[in-house]
Amino acid sequence: LVFFNTGFAIILAITTFYLPARQAAFFRAVWLLPRITPSVIYVLLWKWLAWDVGFLNSILPSLGIDARNWMLDTPTNAWVFVILINGFIVAIMGMIIFTSALRSIPKPMIYASEVDGAKFWQQVRYILLPQLKWPILFITCYLTLSLLTSFEQILLSTDGGPGSTTDVWALQAYHVALQSYSGNLQYGYGAALAMVL
């Protein structure tokens, strides 16, 4: 998940780096929408996409695919949606950092590579990615720590299901300490899980 998010953020940043300024600003603003949207609305949009009466099931039956709840149908589908839901939000932070790092690369270095005949992929491989070494390390560490404690979108989308396949450590601590209101709450065990995390 961390490598997907970091790679996705790098792709977004490099894409906007090569776009004209106004188009890049618009593209970044559109990609910021999931980050500034309240989590409940953001996850409800994903659920609308995957539910039994959602967007996918209004299109796929015409292709001969049966309608089902794509988000909770199988553990694999649940993880795909968890990765996508978290990936879009978390990659935005990386995109902002990488965009700032790319803007700090001296423009004459890019122009000189173009004069020397460097193609797009050569510029990315030999100029941009080496200059992004430390931002990539920072974002990878930051996203690792962030995803260890991330449970909000997972709670809202799958609630750890189907079964407990998407029940991450932070969500497990929440479930142990606060899920049952019938009197058998395990505050101490939940606090111990959170302390270890």
Side-chain angles (χ1 to χ4, degrees):
L1 186 59
V2 172
F3 298 114
F4 169 78
N5 293 339
T6 305
F8 190 49
I10 290 171
I11 290 169
L12 290 174
I14 290 175
T15 302
T16 57
F17 180 72
Y18 280 100
L19 287 176
R22 285 189 173 194
Q23 292 176 6
F26 176 76
F27 188 74
R28 286 187 207 106
V30 168
W31 275 104
L32 278 172
L33 287 177
R35 187 75 174 187
I36 61 176
T37 303
S39 297
V40 173
I41 294 171
Y42 174 69
V43 171
L44 279 176
L45 287 172
W46 278 97
K47 283 188 168 186
W48 170 77
L49 178 75
W51 272 347
D52 294 332
V53 292
F55 179 73
L56 287 177
N57 289 323
S58 66
I59 294 173
L60 295 178
S62 63
L63 301 173
I65 300 172
D66 294 333
R68 59 186 179 194
N69 186 341
W70 291 93
M71 190 176 289
L72 295 175
D73 184 36
T74 63
T76 304
N77 285 352
W79 272 112
V80 166
F81 275 96
V82 164
I83 289 170
L84 289 175
I85 290 170
N86 278 321
F88 279 94
I89 289 181
V90 176
I92 293 167
M93 164 76 174
M95 180 189 70
I96 292 169
I97 299 292
F98 293 141
T99 300
S100 299
L102 287 172
R103 285 186 175 174
S104 70
I105 296 173
K107 291 287 186 188
M109 190 180 294
I110 304 291
Y111 299 147
S113 70
E114 289 175 358
V115 169
D116 289 339
K119 304 288 187 242
F120 170 76
W121 291 111
Q122 291 171 326
Q123 286 181 349
V124 169
R125 182 176 176 197
Y126 296 110
I127 297 174
L128 301 184
L129 289 179
Q131 299 287 334
L132 291 177
K133 177 175 62 172
W134 295 113
I136 288 173
L137 179 64
F138 168 74
I139 288 296
T140 303
C141 293
Y142 177 82
L143 293 183
T144 301
L145 295 174
S146 174
L147 289 172
L148 281 174
T149 60
S150 171
F151 76 96
E152 182 180 0
Q153 284 79 22
I154 300 172
L155 174 69
L156 293 171
S157 60
T158 64
D159 195 23
S164 61
T165 53
T166 59
D167 203 3
V168 295
W169 191 297
L171 186 58
Q172 176 64 21
Y174 169 79
H175 282 155
V176 166
L178 302 170
Q179 184 176 24
S180 173
Y181 293 109
S182 61
N184 58 348
L185 301 176
Q186 298 177 314
Y187 292 124
Y189 182 37
L193 287 172
M195 181 60 118
V196 170
L197 180 61

